[in-house]
Amino acid sequence: MTSPNGLICFTNCLLPQEDGALVEKDLWIDERRGVVLDSQKTFFLRKERPDRVIDLGGNILSPGFLDIQINGAYNFDFSVYEGDDETYRTGLHRVAEKIVETGVTSLLPTIITQERSLYPKLLHLLRPYHSPTSATLLGWHAEGPFIQFAKRGAHEPQFLLTAKEEIKSFEEVYGADNLTVNEDWLMDDETVGVRVITAAPEVDGVMSSIEELARRGIVFSIGHSIASTGLATAAVQNGARLITHLFNAMPQLHHRDPSIIGLLGASPHLSSPSNPTSPVSATFPKIHRVPSTVRRSAAAQGPQATSEAFDDVQTPPLTPVLRAQTDLDDLHLQKGKVADLAFERPFYELIVDGIHSHPNSVRLAYSSFPEGCVLITDAMKILDPHLKDGVHEWRDGKRFVKSGDKLYLEGTDTLAGSVVTLDKCVRNFSRFTGCSLGEAIRCATYNPAKCLGIEHRKGTLRPGADADLVVLDRRGKVLSTWVRGREVWTKAD
Protein backbone atom coordinates (compact mmCIF):
# COMPACT_ATOMS: atom_id res chain seq x y z
CA MET A 1 0.00 0.00 0.00
CA THR A 2 1.39 3.38 -1.03
CA SER A 3 0.44 6.97 -0.32
CA PRO A 4 -1.07 8.92 -3.26
CA ASN A 5 0.99 12.01 -2.50
CA GLY A 6 4.04 10.09 -1.24
CA LEU A 7 3.66 11.35 2.34
CA ILE A 8 3.27 8.96 5.27
CA CYS A 9 2.60 9.95 8.87
CA PHE A 10 3.41 7.55 11.69
CA THR A 11 1.34 8.47 14.72
CA ASN A 12 0.73 7.23 18.28
CA CYS A 13 4.35 6.13 18.63
CA LEU A 14 7.50 6.69 20.68
CA LEU A 15 10.50 8.10 18.78
CA PRO A 16 14.05 7.42 20.08
CA GLN A 17 16.09 10.62 20.24
CA GLU A 18 19.82 10.95 19.69
CA ASP A 19 20.33 11.32 23.46
CA GLY A 20 18.50 8.06 24.18
CA ALA A 21 15.18 9.59 25.24
CA LEU A 22 11.85 8.25 23.97
CA VAL A 23 9.43 10.99 22.92
CA GLU A 24 5.77 10.62 21.96
CA LYS A 25 5.61 12.37 18.62
CA ASP A 26 4.49 11.86 15.02
CA LEU A 27 7.00 11.19 12.24
CA TRP A 28 6.53 12.16 8.60
CA ILE A 29 8.42 10.52 5.75
CA ASP A 30 8.43 10.83 1.97
CA GLU A 31 8.24 7.28 0.61
CA ARG A 32 9.12 8.40 -2.93
CA ARG A 33 12.39 10.03 -1.89
CA GLY A 34 12.92 7.63 1.00
CA VAL A 35 13.72 10.33 3.56
CA VAL A 36 12.51 11.63 6.93
CA LEU A 37 10.70 14.97 6.71
CA ASP A 38 10.34 18.07 8.83
CA SER A 39 6.55 18.00 9.20
CA GLN A 40 6.18 21.75 9.71
CA LYS A 41 8.30 22.77 6.73
CA THR A 42 6.67 20.12 4.55
CA PHE A 43 3.17 21.27 5.45
CA PHE A 44 3.84 24.96 4.87
CA LEU A 45 5.88 24.48 1.68
CA ARG A 46 3.80 21.76 0.01
CA LYS A 47 0.54 22.69 1.75
CA GLU A 48 -0.22 18.99 2.02
CA ARG A 49 -0.87 16.52 4.76
CA PRO A 50 0.08 12.84 4.45
CA ASP A 51 -2.54 10.83 2.58
CA ARG A 52 -1.48 7.74 4.53
CA VAL A 53 -1.49 7.70 8.33
CA ILE A 54 -0.18 4.68 10.23
CA ASP A 55 -1.21 4.29 13.87
CA LEU A 56 1.52 2.33 15.67
CA GLY A 57 -0.54 1.72 18.77
CA GLY A 58 1.96 3.19 21.22
CA ASN A 59 4.92 1.13 19.93
CA ILE A 60 8.43 2.41 19.21
CA LEU A 61 9.47 3.75 15.81
CA SER A 62 13.26 3.58 15.78
CA PRO A 63 15.94 4.31 13.21
CA GLY A 64 17.03 1.04 11.60
CA PHE A 65 19.84 -0.79 13.38
CA LEU A 66 23.46 -0.69 12.12
CA ASP A 67 25.75 -3.71 12.55
CA ILE A 68 29.33 -2.65 11.87
CA GLN A 69 30.91 -6.06 12.54
CA ILE A 70 29.26 -9.17 11.16
CA ASN A 71 31.09 -12.12 9.60
CA GLY A 72 28.13 -13.70 7.86
CA ALA A 73 24.55 -14.91 8.22
CA TYR A 74 21.94 -17.15 6.60
CA ASN A 75 24.53 -19.76 5.66
CA PHE A 76 26.86 -17.30 3.94
CA ASP A 77 30.36 -16.39 5.14
CA PHE A 78 31.75 -13.07 3.85
CA SER A 79 35.30 -14.44 4.18
CA VAL A 80 34.78 -17.49 1.95
CA TYR A 81 35.32 -17.04 -1.79
CA GLU A 82 35.15 -20.16 -3.94
CA GLY A 83 36.16 -18.65 -7.26
CA ASP A 84 32.72 -17.63 -8.52
CA ASP A 85 31.82 -13.93 -8.35
CA GLU A 86 28.14 -14.52 -9.05
CA THR A 87 27.79 -17.13 -6.29
CA TYR A 88 29.46 -14.75 -3.84
CA ARG A 89 27.19 -11.85 -4.82
CA THR A 90 24.13 -14.08 -4.50
CA GLY A 91 25.08 -14.98 -0.94
CA LEU A 92 25.87 -11.37 -0.13
CA HIS A 93 22.52 -10.18 -1.41
CA ARG A 94 20.71 -12.99 0.41
CA VAL A 95 22.09 -11.71 3.71
CA ALA A 96 21.09 -8.13 2.83
CA GLU A 97 17.55 -9.24 1.97
CA LYS A 98 16.97 -11.47 4.99
CA ILE A 99 18.66 -9.61 7.83
CA VAL A 100 16.00 -6.89 7.85
CA GLU A 101 13.85 -9.26 9.95
CA THR A 102 16.24 -8.53 12.85
CA GLY A 103 15.78 -4.77 12.49
CA VAL A 104 19.15 -4.25 10.75
CA THR A 105 18.93 -1.82 7.82
CA SER A 106 22.67 -1.15 7.36
CA LEU A 107 25.71 -3.36 7.90
CA LEU A 108 29.44 -3.64 7.35
CA PRO A 109 30.32 -7.13 6.08
CA THR A 110 33.47 -8.20 7.92
CA ILE A 111 36.25 -10.35 6.53
CA ILE A 112 38.77 -11.97 8.86
CA THR A 113 42.45 -12.58 8.14
CA GLN A 114 42.89 -14.09 4.67
CA GLU A 115 45.62 -15.23 2.32
CA ARG A 116 46.73 -11.85 1.01
CA SER A 117 45.91 -12.47 -2.65
CA LEU A 118 42.19 -12.73 -1.79
CA TYR A 119 41.81 -9.24 -0.33
CA PRO A 120 41.51 -7.19 -3.54
CA LYS A 121 38.89 -9.61 -4.91
CA LEU A 122 36.81 -9.73 -1.70
CA LEU A 123 36.93 -5.98 -1.12
CA HIS A 124 35.92 -5.32 -4.71
CA LEU A 125 32.88 -7.58 -4.25
CA LEU A 126 32.02 -5.92 -0.94
CA ARG A 127 31.49 -2.46 -2.38
CA PRO A 128 28.37 -0.57 -1.19
CA TYR A 129 25.08 -2.11 -2.25
CA HIS A 130 21.36 -1.85 -1.61
CA SER A 131 18.15 -2.88 -3.32
CA PRO A 132 14.61 -1.60 -2.75
CA THR A 133 13.93 -4.48 -0.36
CA SER A 134 17.29 -5.03 1.33
CA ALA A 135 19.50 -3.63 4.03
CA THR A 136 22.33 -1.38 2.82
CA LEU A 137 25.87 -2.78 2.63
CA LEU A 138 28.01 0.19 3.63
CA GLY A 139 31.36 -1.12 2.41
CA TRP A 140 33.60 -3.43 4.43
CA HIS A 141 35.31 -4.09 7.73
CA ALA A 142 38.70 -5.78 7.38
CA GLU A 143 39.65 -7.54 10.62
CA GLY A 144 43.32 -8.42 10.08
CA PRO A 145 45.85 -9.45 8.91
CA PHE A 146 47.87 -6.80 10.82
CA ILE A 147 47.00 -8.23 14.24
CA GLN A 148 48.93 -9.60 17.22
CA PHE A 149 49.88 -13.27 17.06
CA ALA A 150 49.32 -13.65 20.82
CA LYS A 151 45.71 -12.45 20.49
CA ARG A 152 44.87 -13.90 17.09
CA GLY A 153 41.82 -15.86 18.28
CA ALA A 154 40.32 -17.73 15.33
CA HIS A 155 42.55 -15.95 12.77
CA GLU A 156 44.90 -18.28 10.91
CA PRO A 157 48.49 -17.64 12.10
CA GLN A 158 50.17 -18.33 8.76
CA PHE A 159 48.37 -15.35 7.20
CA LEU A 160 49.26 -12.73 9.84
CA LEU A 161 51.43 -9.87 8.57
CA THR A 162 53.44 -6.91 9.78
CA ALA A 163 53.32 -3.51 8.06
CA LYS A 164 57.04 -3.00 7.46
CA GLU A 165 56.34 -0.54 4.64
CA GLU A 166 53.74 1.28 6.76
CA ILE A 167 50.83 2.63 4.68
CA LYS A 168 52.26 1.00 1.57
CA SER A 169 51.85 -2.39 3.28
CA PHE A 170 48.13 -1.68 3.78
CA GLU A 171 47.81 -0.65 0.13
CA GLU A 172 49.59 -3.78 -1.08
CA VAL A 173 47.35 -6.09 0.96
CA TYR A 174 43.95 -4.42 0.53
CA GLY A 175 44.60 -2.86 -2.87
CA ALA A 176 45.55 0.80 -3.29
CA ASP A 177 42.26 1.53 -5.09
CA ASN A 178 40.34 0.42 -2.01
CA LEU A 179 42.16 2.89 0.23
CA THR A 180 41.82 6.06 -1.82
CA VAL A 181 40.45 9.23 -0.26
CA ASN A 182 37.86 9.81 -2.99
CA GLU A 183 36.16 6.48 -3.60
CA ASP A 184 35.40 5.39 -7.14
CA TRP A 185 32.75 2.95 -5.88
CA LEU A 186 29.97 5.05 -4.40
CA MET A 187 26.44 4.17 -3.49
CA ASP A 188 23.65 5.28 -5.80
CA ASP A 189 23.01 8.36 -3.69
CA GLU A 190 26.71 9.25 -3.72
CA THR A 191 27.29 8.42 -0.08
CA VAL A 192 30.89 7.22 0.29
CA GLY A 193 31.19 3.59 1.32
CA VAL A 194 32.35 3.52 4.95
CA ARG A 195 35.19 1.21 5.94
CA VAL A 196 36.80 -0.04 9.15
CA ILE A 197 40.20 -1.70 9.61
CA THR A 198 40.98 -3.65 12.78
CA ALA A 199 44.69 -3.87 13.54
CA ALA A 200 47.08 -4.01 16.50
CA PRO A 201 49.03 -0.76 16.97
CA GLU A 202 52.05 -2.61 18.41
CA VAL A 203 52.61 -4.62 15.22
CA ASP A 204 55.53 -3.29 13.16
CA GLY A 205 54.51 -0.33 10.98
CA VAL A 206 50.89 -0.11 12.14
CA MET A 207 51.17 2.81 14.57
CA SER A 208 52.85 5.04 11.99
CA SER A 209 50.06 4.23 9.48
CA ILE A 210 47.09 5.21 11.65
CA GLU A 211 47.20 8.93 10.93
CA GLU A 212 47.20 8.42 7.16
CA LEU A 213 44.38 5.84 7.32
CA ALA A 214 42.30 8.26 9.39
CA ARG A 215 43.03 11.07 6.93
CA ARG A 216 41.56 8.92 4.17
CA GLY A 217 38.31 8.54 6.10
CA ILE A 218 38.99 4.98 7.27
CA VAL A 219 37.99 4.11 10.83
CA PHE A 220 41.00 2.54 12.52
CA SER A 221 39.93 0.12 15.24
CA ILE A 222 42.25 -1.24 17.93
CA GLY A 223 41.79 -4.98 18.22
CA HIS A 224 43.47 -8.38 18.57
CA SER A 225 46.20 -6.52 20.41
CA ILE A 226 48.33 -6.56 23.57
CA ALA A 227 48.90 -2.79 23.54
CA SER A 228 49.75 -1.21 26.87
CA THR A 229 47.90 1.84 28.15
CA GLY A 230 50.56 4.18 26.78
CA LEU A 231 50.54 2.52 23.38
CA ALA A 232 46.74 2.45 23.17
CA THR A 233 46.61 6.13 24.14
CA ALA A 234 49.16 6.98 21.45
CA ALA A 235 47.07 5.11 18.87
CA VAL A 236 44.00 7.20 19.74
CA GLN A 237 46.06 10.40 19.63
CA ASN A 238 47.16 9.36 16.13
CA GLY A 239 43.55 8.88 14.99
CA ALA A 240 42.25 5.48 16.16
CA ARG A 241 38.49 5.85 16.56
CA LEU A 242 37.17 2.46 17.69
CA ILE A 243 37.94 -0.60 19.84
CA THR A 244 37.04 -3.97 18.31
CA HIS A 245 34.83 -6.26 20.47
CA LEU A 246 35.85 -4.83 23.85
CA PHE A 247 37.22 -7.35 26.40
CA ASN A 248 37.76 -10.01 23.72
CA ALA A 249 41.19 -10.66 22.16
CA MET A 250 43.00 -8.15 24.39
CA PRO A 251 44.64 -8.07 27.85
CA GLN A 252 42.09 -7.90 30.64
CA LEU A 253 41.70 -4.92 32.95
CA HIS A 254 44.51 -4.65 35.49
CA HIS A 255 44.89 -1.87 38.02
CA ARG A 256 48.57 -1.23 37.16
CA ASP A 257 47.99 -1.09 33.44
CA PRO A 258 44.38 -1.23 32.22
CA SER A 259 45.62 -1.57 28.64
CA ILE A 260 43.11 -0.98 25.80
CA ILE A 261 40.09 -1.32 28.09
CA GLY A 262 41.44 1.58 30.16
CA LEU A 263 40.77 4.00 27.29
CA LEU A 264 37.13 4.11 28.41
CA GLY A 265 38.24 5.76 31.63
CA ALA A 266 41.12 7.78 30.20
CA SER A 267 42.46 10.21 32.78
CA PRO A 268 42.98 13.89 31.82
CA HIS A 269 46.15 13.66 33.92
CA LEU A 270 47.74 11.35 31.36
CA SER A 271 46.03 12.41 28.16
CA SER A 272 48.10 15.38 27.05
CA PRO A 273 51.37 14.81 25.19
CA SER A 274 52.73 17.96 26.87
CA ASN A 275 51.93 16.68 30.36
CA PRO A 276 55.18 15.52 31.98
CA THR A 277 53.40 12.53 33.50
CA SER A 278 52.07 11.26 30.20
CA PRO A 279 52.85 7.67 29.25
CA VAL A 280 55.92 7.48 27.06
CA SER A 281 54.02 6.77 23.84
CA ALA A 282 57.22 6.23 21.91
CA THR A 283 58.12 3.23 24.05
CA PHE A 284 56.97 0.16 22.15
CA PRO A 285 57.15 -3.39 23.48
CA LYS A 286 59.19 -5.73 21.33
CA ILE A 287 56.69 -7.68 19.26
CA HIS A 288 57.72 -11.08 18.05
CA ARG A 289 56.93 -12.18 14.53
CA VAL A 290 55.09 -15.38 13.80
CA PRO A 291 57.84 -18.03 13.88
CA SER A 292 58.41 -19.75 10.56
CA THR A 293 57.98 -23.12 12.31
CA VAL A 294 54.54 -22.04 13.46
CA ARG A 295 53.66 -20.93 9.94
CA ARG A 296 54.75 -24.25 8.47
CA SER A 297 53.03 -26.24 11.20
CA ALA A 298 49.79 -24.29 10.91
CA ALA A 299 49.82 -24.57 7.15
CA ALA A 300 50.27 -28.32 7.39
CA GLN A 301 47.51 -28.79 9.93
CA GLY A 302 45.06 -26.40 8.28
CA PRO A 303 43.09 -23.64 9.99
CA GLN A 304 42.87 -24.08 13.76
CA ALA A 305 39.67 -22.41 14.98
CA THR A 306 39.78 -21.01 18.51
CA SER A 307 37.72 -18.52 20.43
CA GLU A 308 38.53 -14.83 20.31
CA ALA A 309 36.98 -14.46 23.75
CA PHE A 310 38.82 -17.22 25.60
CA ASP A 311 42.21 -17.87 24.07
CA ASP A 312 44.94 -19.75 25.90
CA VAL A 313 47.66 -17.12 25.54
CA GLN A 314 48.20 -15.31 28.83
CA THR A 315 49.31 -11.69 28.65
CA PRO A 316 50.54 -10.52 32.06
CA PRO A 317 49.92 -6.91 33.05
CA LEU A 318 52.57 -4.48 31.88
CA THR A 319 54.04 -1.83 34.13
CA PRO A 320 53.30 1.61 32.62
CA VAL A 321 56.37 3.62 31.71
CA LEU A 322 55.89 7.15 33.06
CA ARG A 323 58.03 10.23 33.05
CA ALA A 324 59.03 11.80 36.35
CA GLN A 325 56.13 12.99 38.48
CA THR A 326 55.52 16.69 38.92
CA ASP A 327 53.03 18.78 40.86
CA LEU A 328 52.99 21.73 38.45
CA ASP A 329 49.62 20.78 36.92
CA ASP A 330 46.83 23.33 37.23
CA LEU A 331 44.01 22.05 39.43
CA HIS A 332 40.34 22.98 39.20
CA LEU A 333 38.76 24.76 42.15
CA GLN A 334 35.16 24.69 40.91
CA LYS A 335 33.00 21.85 42.19
CA GLY A 336 31.86 19.54 39.41
CA LYS A 337 34.46 20.84 36.98
CA VAL A 338 36.18 18.01 35.12
CA ALA A 339 39.35 18.61 33.14
CA ASP A 340 39.06 18.09 29.41
CA LEU A 341 40.82 15.23 27.68
CA ALA A 342 43.41 16.07 25.05
CA PHE A 343 41.72 13.56 22.74
CA GLU A 344 38.31 12.00 22.19
CA ARG A 345 37.85 8.61 23.79
CA PRO A 346 37.25 5.97 21.11
CA PHE A 347 33.98 4.22 20.44
CA TYR A 348 33.95 0.60 21.58
CA GLU A 349 32.09 -2.47 20.35
CA LEU A 350 30.27 -4.90 22.63
CA ILE A 351 28.90 -8.36 21.82
CA VAL A 352 25.96 -8.52 24.22
CA ASP A 353 24.96 -12.17 23.99
CA GLY A 354 25.64 -12.92 27.67
CA ILE A 355 28.48 -15.22 26.61
CA HIS A 356 31.32 -13.13 25.18
CA SER A 357 31.07 -10.57 27.99
CA HIS A 358 29.56 -10.96 31.46
CA PRO A 359 26.59 -8.64 32.17
CA ASN A 360 28.64 -6.94 34.93
CA SER A 361 31.40 -6.18 32.41
CA VAL A 362 28.87 -4.78 29.96
CA ARG A 363 27.44 -2.49 32.63
CA LEU A 364 30.91 -1.43 33.79
CA ALA A 365 31.90 -0.40 30.27
CA TYR A 366 28.66 1.45 29.60
CA SER A 367 28.83 3.28 32.92
CA SER A 368 32.33 4.46 32.07
CA PHE A 369 31.51 5.90 28.65
CA PRO A 370 27.89 5.56 27.45
CA GLU A 371 28.37 7.87 24.45
CA GLY A 372 30.91 5.50 22.90
CA CYS A 373 29.03 2.22 23.17
CA VAL A 374 28.35 0.39 19.89
CA LEU A 375 26.47 -2.91 19.87
CA ILE A 376 27.58 -5.52 17.32
CA THR A 377 26.79 -9.18 16.67
CA ASP A 378 30.18 -10.35 15.30
CA ALA A 379 27.91 -13.08 13.97
CA MET A 380 28.96 -16.12 11.97
CA LYS A 381 27.30 -17.60 8.87
CA ILE A 382 25.07 -19.66 11.12
CA LEU A 383 23.16 -16.58 12.28
CA ASP A 384 19.53 -17.25 11.42
CA PRO A 385 16.65 -16.66 13.86
CA HIS A 386 14.89 -19.70 12.42
CA LEU A 387 17.81 -22.13 12.79
CA LYS A 388 17.22 -24.91 15.30
CA ASP A 389 19.72 -26.05 17.91
CA GLY A 390 21.96 -28.93 16.91
CA VAL A 391 25.04 -29.75 14.80
CA HIS A 392 25.64 -27.73 11.63
CA GLU A 393 28.35 -27.70 8.96
CA TRP A 394 30.96 -24.93 9.01
CA ARG A 395 34.05 -25.27 6.78
CA ASP A 396 37.32 -27.22 6.43
CA GLY A 397 35.56 -30.32 7.73
CA LYS A 398 34.57 -28.67 10.99
CA ARG A 399 31.07 -28.45 12.42
CA PHE A 400 29.25 -26.11 14.80
CA VAL A 401 27.11 -27.10 17.74
CA LYS A 402 24.41 -24.50 18.33
CA SER A 403 22.76 -24.33 21.74
CA GLY A 404 20.60 -21.22 22.05
CA ASP A 405 22.94 -18.26 21.58
CA LYS A 406 26.00 -20.42 22.28
CA LEU A 407 28.07 -21.70 19.39
CA TYR A 408 30.81 -24.29 19.89
CA LEU A 409 33.13 -26.34 17.72
CA GLU A 410 31.87 -29.92 17.70
CA GLY A 411 33.69 -32.12 20.19
CA THR A 412 35.15 -29.16 22.13
CA ASP A 413 34.09 -26.45 24.55
CA THR A 414 35.67 -23.79 22.33
CA LEU A 415 33.40 -20.88 21.45
CA ALA A 416 33.11 -20.48 17.69
CA GLY A 417 31.77 -16.95 17.41
CA SER A 418 28.42 -15.32 17.90
CA VAL A 419 24.97 -16.32 16.69
CA VAL A 420 22.99 -13.57 18.46
CA THR A 421 20.87 -11.10 16.47
CA LEU A 422 21.25 -7.35 16.95
CA ASP A 423 17.70 -6.84 18.16
CA LYS A 424 18.34 -9.37 20.94
CA CYS A 425 21.59 -7.56 21.78
CA VAL A 426 19.54 -4.40 22.30
CA ARG A 427 17.14 -6.19 24.65
CA ASN A 428 19.98 -7.88 26.53
CA PHE A 429 21.82 -4.59 26.85
CA SER A 430 18.86 -2.88 28.50
CA ARG A 431 18.56 -5.76 30.97
CA PHE A 432 22.31 -6.05 31.69
CA THR A 433 22.92 -2.33 32.26
CA GLY A 434 19.56 -1.24 33.61
CA CYS A 435 19.41 1.54 31.02
CA SER A 436 16.18 2.42 29.24
CA LEU A 437 15.21 0.75 25.98
CA GLY A 438 15.70 4.11 24.24
CA GLU A 439 19.29 4.33 25.51
CA ALA A 440 19.95 0.76 24.38
CA ILE A 441 18.54 1.57 20.93
CA ARG A 442 20.96 4.49 20.68
CA CYS A 443 23.87 2.01 20.94
CA ALA A 444 22.65 0.18 17.83
CA THR A 445 21.66 3.26 15.82
CA TYR A 446 23.07 6.72 16.47
CA ASN A 447 26.36 5.67 18.11
CA PRO A 448 27.56 3.34 15.32
CA ALA A 449 26.45 5.88 12.70
CA LYS A 450 28.39 8.62 14.47
CA CYS A 451 31.44 6.36 14.72
CA LEU A 452 31.32 5.95 10.94
CA GLY A 453 30.65 9.65 10.36
CA ILE A 454 27.24 9.10 8.73
CA GLU A 455 24.96 10.22 11.56
CA HIS A 456 23.32 12.78 9.28
CA ARG A 457 21.95 9.94 7.10
CA LYS A 458 21.77 6.76 9.18
CA GLY A 459 20.89 5.90 12.77
CA THR A 460 18.79 9.02 13.26
CA LEU A 461 15.29 10.41 12.69
CA ARG A 462 16.44 13.94 11.91
CA PRO A 463 14.92 15.54 8.76
CA GLY A 464 16.79 14.56 5.60
CA ALA A 465 17.98 11.23 6.95
CA ASP A 466 17.22 8.00 5.11
CA ALA A 467 13.83 6.63 6.15
CA ASP A 468 15.37 3.38 7.40
CA LEU A 469 13.04 2.44 10.25
CA VAL A 470 12.21 -0.43 12.57
CA VAL A 471 8.97 -0.72 14.53
CA LEU A 472 9.50 -2.32 17.96
CA ASP A 473 7.05 -3.28 20.63
CA ARG A 474 7.68 -2.00 24.13
CA ARG A 475 9.80 -5.06 24.90
CA GLY A 476 12.10 -4.42 21.97
CA LYS A 477 10.76 -7.12 19.64
CA VAL A 478 10.80 -6.29 15.92
CA LEU A 479 7.35 -5.85 14.39
CA SER A 480 8.27 -4.41 10.97
CA THR A 481 11.22 -2.96 9.08
CA TRP A 482 11.30 -0.13 6.54
CA VAL A 483 14.11 0.71 4.12
CA ARG A 484 14.15 4.11 2.47
CA GLY A 485 10.47 4.67 3.10
CA ARG A 486 9.23 1.22 2.03
CA GLU A 487 8.09 -1.57 4.31
CA VAL A 488 10.30 -4.57 3.51
CA TRP A 489 9.42 -6.97 6.33
CA THR A 490 6.57 -7.41 8.78
CA LYS A 491 6.07 -9.95 11.53
CA ALA A 492 3.56 -12.65 10.70
CA ASP A 493 0.48 -12.68 12.91
Side-chain angles (χ1 to χ4, degrees):
M1 179 179 177
T2 59
S3 172
N5 66 358
L7 302 184
I8 298 176
C9 171
F10 295 95
T11 191
N12 190 17
C13 55
L14 295 174
L15 304 184
Q17 305 300 293
E18 293 176 3
D19 64 357
L22 287 172
V23 177
E24 188 173 355
K25 189 178 180 182
D26 291 352
L27 183 76
W28 288 22
I29 67 170
D30 185 332
E31 66 174 333
R32 293 173 182 170
R33 293 167 51 212
V35 297
V36 176
L37 298 174
D38 182 316
S39 59
Q40 294 298 312
K41 288 184 178 178
T42 302
F43 174 74
F44 285 109
L45 288 175
R46 292 178 56 166
K47 302 188 185 304
E48 289 182 308
R49 292 186 180 275
D51 283 339
R52 185 182 178 194
V53 177
I54 301 175
D55 187 331
L56 292 181
N59 287 313
I60 298 167
L61 180 63
S62 168
F65 299 152
L66 284 78
D67 194 349
I68 66 173
Q69 186 162 350
I70 175 172
N71 303 291
Y74 300 98
N75 201 36
F76 180 73
D77 189 327
F78 300 129
S79 296
V80 175
Y81 176 72
E82 298 177 334
D84 186 335
D85 289 9
E86 192 56 37
T87 298
Y88 189 92
R89 288 194 185 96
T90 298
L92 198 64
H93 297 169
R94 181 172 69 250
V95 174
E97 293 277 346
K98 286 181 171 291
I99 203 165
V100 293
E101 70 176 318
T102 69
V104 172
T105 56
S106 298
L107 66 150
L108 274 181
T110 303
I111 56 172
I112 63 172
T113 298
Q114 298 288 318
E115 197 282 317
R116 63 185 300 163
S117 66
L118 281 176
Y119 279 101
K121 167 60 72 175
L122 286 172
L123 300 183
H124 176 77
L125 291 168
L126 288 173
R127 63 180 60 193
Y129 163 85
H130 74 89
S131 75
T133 58
S134 78
T136 299
L137 305 181
L138 295 170
W140 46 268
H141 180 158
E143 188 182 8
F146 304 104
I147 61 174
Q148 172 57 239
F149 175 78
K151 289 294 179 183
R152 65 192 183 279
H155 294 241
E156 298 178 22
Q158 68 268 33
F159 297 145
L160 302 186
L161 298 173
T162 61
K164 286 184 186 178
E165 302 297 321
E166 301 177 343
I167 191 64
K168 185 178 178 182
S169 295
F170 284 84
E171 291 178 336
E172 289 176 348
V173 170
Y174 300 135
D177 291 343
N178 290 321
L179 297 179
T180 55
V181 177
N182 297 315
E183 296 294 346
D184 292 327
W185 38 276
L186 307 179
M187 289 196 285
D188 294 345
D189 61 0
E190 298 186 348
T191 300
V192 175
V194 181
R195 301 134 301 160
V196 176
I197 292 175
T198 291
E202 73 274 14
V203 168
D204 291 347
V206 171
M207 179 68 81
S208 52
S209 304
I210 295 175
E211 185 174 1
E212 175 59 19
L213 290 170
R215 186 189 71 81
R216 299 185 186 198
I218 296 166
V219 175
F220 182 92
S221 189
I222 303 171
H224 290 274
S225 167
I226 60 168
S228 65
T229 293
L231 199 58
T233 300
V236 174
Q237 290 172 327
N238 283 350
R241 188 171 171 81
L242 179 64
I243 301 172
T244 294
H245 43 55
L246 187 74
F247 301 120
N248 297 304
M250 63 185 63
Q252 297 310 293
L253 188 71
H254 192 282
H255 62 281
R256 285 197 298 274
D257 190 337
S259 185
I260 301 161
I261 299 170
L263 289 170
L264 275 63
S267 169
H269 180 61
L270 299 177
S271 70
S272 173
S274 62
N275 190 319
T277 60
S278 295
V280 182
S281 58
T283 302
F284 295 83
K286 182 174 179 59
I287 305 303
H288 61 79
R289 303 180 192 281
V290 180
S292 58
T293 54
V294 173
R295 291 176 183 268
R296 287 194 296 270
S297 174
Q301 296 175 17
Q304 303 298 305
T306 57
S307 166
E308 294 180 1
F310 301 102
D311 58 45
D312 57 1
V313 180
Q314 298 298 316
T315 50
L318 303 173
T319 299
V321 182
L322 303 177
R323 294 190 177 93
Q325 295 289 327
T326 179
D327 59 1
L328 298 179
D329 299 339
D330 291 332
L331 301 178
H332 295 297
L333 302 180
Q334 181 181 349
K335 181 182 177 181
K337 174 68 175 178
V338 179
D340 294 329
L341 283 170
F343 59 86
E344 290 187 13
R345 284 179 286 179
F347 291 89
Y348 57 95
E349 300 174 341
L350 284 174
I351 307 169
V352 191
D353 57 2
I355 301 162
H356 283 79
S357 297
H358 190 280
N360 290 2
S361 298
V362 172
R363 188 180 186 195
L364 182 65
Y366 182 67
S367 299
S368 298
F369 185 31
E371 296 82 3
C373 183
V374 174
L375 303 185
I376 61 165
T377 63
D378 198 22
M380 306 296 283
K381 63 178 276 188
I382 203 170
L383 183 147
D384 183 341
H386 312 289
L387 190 67
K388 296 181 180 179
D389 288 355
V391 180
H392 302 275
E393 296 296 328
W394 185 26
R395 63 184 182 191
D396 302 316
K398 294 183 174 65
R399 299 199 294 179
F400 287 126
V401 178
K402 179 183 180 295
S403 177
D405 289 335
K406 295 181 180 179
L407 200 61
Y408 296 96
L409 289 178
E410 185 182 29
T412 76
D413 59 358
T414 300
L415 286 176
S418 164
V419 71
V420 71
T421 58
L422 196 54
D423 61 315
K424 188 168 186 179
C425 286
V426 170
R427 297 192 295 274
N428 286 344
F429 188 78
S430 182
R431 295 188 187 100
F432 292 177
T433 64
C435 74
S436 69
L437 184 54
E439 291 168 309
I441 288 170
R442 179 190 185 191
C443 298
T445 56
Y446 183 72
N447 285 359
K450 188 175 182 182
C451 174
L452 300 177
I454 57 172
E455 70 273 20
H456 63 297
R457 296 296 303 274
K458 303 288 186 181
T460 180
L461 299 178
R462 66 177 69 171
D466 292 339
D468 294 344
L469 310 168
V470 56
V471 179
L472 306 168
D473 66 20
R474 288 176 176 246
R475 294 185 175 182
K477 295 287 186 73
V478 179
L479 300 178
S480 66
T481 307
W482 297 63
V483 173
R484 303 198 181 204
R486 300 298 178 97
E487 189 174 32
V488 297
W489 182 86
T490 185
K491 183 180 179 181
D493 295 331

